Amino acid sequence: MEQPSELASTTILTVQNVKKRYGKFNALDQINFEIKRGNHLLVLGPNGAGKTTLIKCIMDLVSFDGTIEVSGTDVKRDPRRAKSLIGYVPQNYAFYESLTVYEHARLTTRLKRADRAQMEEKLGTVDLWNVRMRKVRALSDGMKQRLGIALALIGNPPLLLLDEPTSNVDLRGQLEFQALLQDLLKQGKTLLTTTHLTGLGELASEVLVIDKGRTVASGSPVELLGKMNVTDTLYVRVNGGDATRVIELMKAHNATDLNARGEWITASVPNESKLEVVKSLLDSSYKIEDLMIERGKIESEYLKLLGSKDNN
C-alpha cells in the first residue's frame, strides 16, 4: 500500500537523465520525463528505438545511469518497494499454456501476497471471469493480452507499464484493448504504453517520441499535432459531372493533395478550416452524396518528426 505522503504527490513516475549502453551502443541517451497520477504517457518510436529498454530500466531489470523514481521510491535503492507499485505487461507474456485462467490468477495472487478476492475482481475487469476454467492454450491472442493485464492489476499497483500491447492482436483485439484502457484511466490508474502502431494517441495525456535512444519530441497530442501542422483527410462522394468543380471549390478553401477516384474525392484539409470547407460544399449547388472526415493522428505523423530530426 502507498503511504499518505505518496498519495499526496501528483507525480508517480520520474525519469531523469537515464542512459543505457550495451557496449558501444547507446540504447538510451539522456531520457527525461515524468508522469502525473491518472495520466497516460504514450511512448512512440520505431522498432529498436529503445522503448522496451526504457521499461526494463523502470523495472530495474537492467543496470542504467541516471535516476528513476516511482512514487518517490528510487528503483535502484529499493527495487522491491518500487516494483510493488508497478503492474507490468510485457510484449510477449510467458504463460503456462496448460494452466487455466483461474490457476494463473491464483498463482499470481499468491506470489504478490494479495487478497484472493482480487482474482474475481481483476478477471471480471478484463471480462475473463466467465472463462476462468479455460486453459490458456485455448485463449485467443486478445484474451491472452487481457489476461496479462488482469495479472498485472492484482495487488492494485497504481502504475501500469504496457510494452507494445497491441502488436500481436487483430483489429477487434485492439479495439477491445482501447476500451479497457479507457476504463482503467477512469479508475484512476496511471499508464505508460509503448507502441510503434496507431490507435492509442487519442487516449494519451502526453506523448514521448523517441528514436535511436533519444527524445525526438514530447508534449500533449494536441501540442505535437500543432507543431507538425497535421491535416485531416476529407472524403467527398459527388456526382461524376461535378467532380472537377468540387475540386476547384475545395482548393479555394486551402485543401491540398486532392485526388479523384471514381465518385470519391480525397483531400488534405487544415484542421482549422475543415468546417469552412464542409460548409462551402453543402452550400454549393453541387450534388454531394456522401462526406467523411478522418482526423489526423499523432501516430500516423510521428515519422515526420523522425525525418525532420535526421535532416537537422
Side-chain angles (χ1 to χ4, degrees):
M1 295 293 293
E2 292 181 271
Q3 302 300 319
S5 60
E6 293 167 344
L7 291 170
S9 173
T10 59
T11 300
I12 193 167
L13 177 64
T14 303
V15 175
Q16 293 182 322
N17 301 321
V18 168
K19 298 180 182 179
K20 174 59 183 175
R21 293 179 62 88
Y22 292 102
K24 296 182 179 180
F25 174 66
N26 272 328
L28 295 174
D29 189 5
Q30 295 289 350
I31 299 296
N32 292 274
F33 66 86
E34 65 178 30
I35 310 178
K36 303 293 185 183
R37 289 177 178 272
N39 283 356
H40 178 198
L41 175 68
L42 180 64
V43 181
L44 278 173
N47 290 327
K51 304 186 297 298
T52 297
T53 300
L54 174 60
I55 285 186
K56 288 181 178 179
C57 291
I58 296 172
M59 292 289 296
D60 194 43
L61 298 177
V62 295
S63 61
F64 63 91
D65 295 322
T67 302
I68 298 177
E69 294 183 350
V70 182
S71 289
T73 299
D74 190 301
V75 302
K76 292 181 180 178
R77 296 178 180 176
D78 195 349
R80 183 172 181 178
R81 166 68 180 160
K83 289 176 183 177
S84 72
L85 302 173
I86 297 173
Y88 174 41
V89 183
Q91 181 176 354
N92 297 304
Y93 214 110
F95 294 110
Y96 294 102
E97 297 286 323
S98 61
L99 294 185
T100 65
V101 169
Y102 183 83
E103 288 169 336
H104 257 291
R106 184 173 60 184
L107 175 61
T108 301
T109 300
R110 288 178 176 175
L111 290 173
K112 292 187 176 183
R113 299 179 181 178
D115 187 341
R116 290 189 63 179
Q118 289 191 34
M119 290 190 291
E120 179 174 356
E121 177 191 351
K122 305 311 180 187
L123 290 176
T125 296
V126 300
D127 197 26
L128 288 180
W129 179 250
N130 291 335
V131 296
R132 61 189 180 278
M133 303 314 295
R134 187 179 299 179
K135 291 188 181 296
V136 171
R137 69 165 68 96
L139 300 180
S140 67
D141 288 337
M143 295 172 78
K144 288 180 180 178
Q145 175 201 68
R146 284 186 276 138
L147 176 57
I149 294 173
L151 300 182
L153 288 170
I154 290 175
N156 292 317
L159 174 64
L160 292 182
L161 307 179
L162 302 108
D163 190 12
E164 298 281 3
T166 59
S167 61
N168 297 318
V169 297
D170 58 18
L171 178 58
R172 179 178 178 178
Q174 292 180 33
L175 294 175
E176 290 175 347
F177 175 74
Q178 291 177 34
L180 178 56
L181 283 195
Q182 287 180 317
D183 289 340
L184 292 174
L185 289 168
K186 288 177 182 177
Q187 294 171 24
K189 294 295 183 183
T190 305
L191 308 178
L192 184 154
T193 306
T194 71
T195 185
H196 66 284
L197 301 173
T198 63
L200 300 177
E202 293 183 356
L203 300 178
S205 308
E206 298 287 324
V207 179
L208 176 70
V209 183
I210 63 175
D211 184 36
K212 299 176 182 177
R214 296 185 178 183
T215 298
V216 177
S218 63
S220 71
V222 172
E223 289 171 344
L224 292 185
L225 288 171
K227 290 177 182 178
M228 292 183 285
N229 296 317
V230 174
T231 58
D232 296 335
T233 302
L234 182 62
Y235 299 86
V236 184
R237 185 182 179 188
V238 300
N239 182 288
D242 290 333
T244 300
R245 283 169 290 190
V246 168
I247 288 175
E248 292 302 319
L249 177 61
M250 294 171 70
K251 283 182 179 178
H253 290 279
N254 300 319
T256 59
D257 299 325
L258 288 108
N259 185 26
R261 290 186 178 180
E263 296 180 331
W264 285 95
I265 298 171
T266 62
S268 297
V269 183
N271 183 271
E272 65 275 8
S273 61
K274 65 183 176 185
L275 293 182
E276 178 185 342
V277 176
V278 171
K279 185 177 185 301
S280 68
L281 291 170
L282 297 179
D283 289 345
S284 71
S285 59
Y286 309 130
K287 186 176 180 181
I288 307 299
E289 298 180 353
D290 201 354
L291 187 150
M292 296 182 293
I293 299 175
E294 181 182 24
R295 294 176 57 191
K297 296 181 182 295
I298 187 67
E299 298 101 327
S300 60
E301 297 294 326
Y302 83 90
L303 285 175
K304 293 183 181 178
L305 289 173
L306 303 184
S308 64
K309 177 177 176 289
D310 288 339
N311 292 331
N312 288 337

